[in-house]
Amino acid sequence: MRKVSVTFGHILLLLLTIFYKPEEVLAQSKTSGLDLKDGDRVVFLGNSLFENDFQYGYLELALTTRFPDKNVTFRNLGWSGDNVWGDGRSTFTNPPTAYQHLMQNIIKTQPTVVFLGYGGVEAQEGAAGLAHFKDGLNNLLNKIDSLGAKTILLSTIPVASSDTSINLSKRNADLELYSSAIAKIAADRGKQFIDIYKPILDASKQITIIENGVHLNETGYYYLANVLENGLGLKTEKPVTTISISKTGAEASANAKILDSGKDLTSLQFVIPEKFLPLPVSPEGEKLADTAPVLKITGLKKGFYTLTANDDQIVSASAKDWEKGVEIKQGPSYFQSAEIKDMILKKNELHFFQYRPINETYIIGFRAYEQGKHVKDLEDQDILIKWLEGQIALQRMPKEIVYRLSAIGN
């Protein structure tokens, strides 16, 4: 009997692979760009895909900086090992049940936009567990819909490991099967679906972005933030600013403004207004997503020139290199973005221990009659969380930077 079941599962998987194309479902899914509004509460709900970003904060940072003029707050409800039934949250002794716990977590955040990242844990059941997963996902979507929130569904991510004891092809085939099911449900319900499986798989073949076989590392989360921007219609072309110097002065492209070209044109001051702050990136991340703005300056006399930003030196290059274009990979904007990222991490840490307190069974669980008085201490964390959100709001808008290009030796 067991042999027949496995064989049927393999046949089903093969048929779905041949006749059911994820990219076709993706084309049917709602793909309008994300437009966050004042007062929105964005919630990341799922398994370790979201919980592990507590260490890095890239996903929240990407959306925070893309909507600097909007009062948007974020809550990360990622829980390692979780599935659409909330089984990963079964740290309580009933009541509440694990599923009730999941529902309480969602309701308390009062979401208006939910990023849903499930399927990775459930895919371990293979084709045999697919129907049960789809039922659970639809029930979860029904609950989110009842709260009036918009849901954006993400695919699973692949497994990458050098461990020969792991049947990677089978594991990844199951993960793709579940991704296809997620995409189909999204299309049927008019939800947006973003395929992160293929981009992550392709990137993992270039550099190491997956650790322990299934978890993204810091570079992986930086790249995932870029993938989500693409999927949400937020990606823009690589910014290029051009300044042309002649005997009569300097002229800049539309995205820059000349302040002073200097009497002898050996010193040049200008500003480049930014719509949003860049994401701080490691050298490894640059290999996957080259987003650094480019500055081209033509007409310079032969020699070397240094660019400063608010009087801090950021890069030096020859006249020939400036004419080709030099990437701006550091400076005040990157420092500002890194400071926001640090505040996001502190805020999320406070929230993590607020909704997942140590000894939670005794504080908010069935034995709350013993230590339930400490709930007040958890609620008091809201003061610090809101203060940090206020600081983030003050810092997320790009500030004017005065650039100066000077000939070295002058």
Side-chain angles (χ1 to χ4, degrees), residues 27 34 37 53 58 70 107 148 167 195 262 302 309 323 331 373:
L34 179 66
K37 306 180 297 297
D53 194 44
Y58 273 118
K70 297 295 190 297
I107 294 169
N167 189 339
D195 175 28
K302 187 176 181 179
E323 185 172 359
K373 63 181 180 181

Side-chain angles (χ1 to χ4, degrees), residues 289-307:
D290 185 13
T291 60
V294 174
L295 176 60
K296 294 183 178 181
I297 304 178
T298 64
L300 292 171
K301 294 180 179 179
K302 187 176 181 179
F304 286 83
Y305 296 79
T306 293
L307 182 70

Side-chain angles (χ1 to χ4, degrees), residues 124-379:
Q124 296 178 55
E125 298 297 323
L130 189 61
H132 189 41
F133 166 71
K134 291 192 290 187
D135 287 342
L137 181 58
N138 275 306
N139 288 338
L140 188 54
L141 288 171
N142 290 340
K143 181 60 180 181
I144 296 172
D145 286 348
S146 73
L147 299 176
K150 173 182 179 179
T151 308
I152 300 169
L153 293 91
L154 307 187
S155 72
T156 61
I157 64 172
V159 171
S161 176
S162 58
D163 186 349
T164 56
S165 66
I166 299 176
N167 189 339
L168 283 181
S169 59
K170 175 63 169 64
R171 286 286 301 278
N172 283 331
D174 287 335
L175 288 164
E176 287 189 89
L177 175 63
Y178 277 67
S179 287
S180 295
I182 296 168
K184 179 65 165 56
I185 289 174
D188 290 344
R189 300 185 61 136
K191 308 291 186 183
Q192 184 169 3
F193 169 79
I194 301 177
D195 175 28
I196 63 175
Y197 182 95
K198 187 178 186 302
I200 294 296
L201 179 64
D202 292 343
S204 68
K205 295 176 182 178
Q206 301 178 48
I207 62 175
T208 301
I209 63 171
I210 298 178
E211 297 177 346
N212 301 321
V214 295
H215 298 136
L216 296 177
N217 59 20
E218 182 171 5
T219 301
Y221 277 101
Y222 167 78
Y223 182 59
L224 178 58
N226 281 271
V227 172
L228 290 185
E229 285 180 336
N230 279 326
L232 294 169
L234 300 176
K235 201 66 176 179
T236 59
E237 294 184 3
K238 188 177 175 72
V240 178
T241 301
T242 302
I243 296 177
S244 302
I245 297 177
S246 65
K247 293 181 180 180
T248 57
E251 294 184 357
S253 53
N255 61 337
K257 179 182 178 181
I258 302 296
L259 299 180
D260 184 8
S261 59
K263 294 181 180 180
D264 56 1
L265 299 180
T266 57
S267 181
L268 177 69
Q269 291 189 63
F270 54 94
V271 295
I272 306 175
E274 296 175 293
K275 294 181 180 180
F276 52 85
L277 296 170
L279 298 183
V281 57
S282 66
E284 286 293 299
E286 293 175 4
K287 299 176 183 178
L288 298 174
D290 185 13
T291 60
V294 174
L295 176 60
K296 294 183 178 181
I297 304 178
T298 64
L300 292 171
K301 294 180 179 179
K302 187 176 181 179
F304 286 83
Y305 296 79
T306 293
L307 182 70
T308 61
N310 293 345
D311 296 325
D312 290 329
Q313 181 177 330
I314 57 175
V315 64
S316 296
S318 67
K320 186 176 181 181
D321 287 335
W322 283 114
E323 185 172 359
K324 293 178 181 177
V326 175
E327 290 186 330
I328 309 303
K329 300 180 179 179
Q330 58 182 342
S333 292
Y334 289 94
F335 299 145
Q336 185 180 346
S337 186
E339 289 176 353
I340 294 172
K341 184 168 174 280
D342 286 342
M343 288 188 284
I344 286 173
L345 295 179
K346 292 175 182 177
K347 182 264 297 182
N348 285 343
E349 182 179 16
L350 287 171
H351 174 252
F352 182 90
F353 288 108
Q354 183 187 50
Y355 100 103
R356 296 171 65 172
I358 299 173
N359 292 332
E360 55 190 337
T361 299
Y362 293 86
I363 299 176
I364 59 178
F366 83 105
R367 297 183 68 171
Y369 63 88
E370 297 184 41
Q371 298 184 32
K373 63 181 180 181
H374 294 300
V375 169
K376 180 64 169 56
D377 296 329
L378 299 179
E379 294 173 347

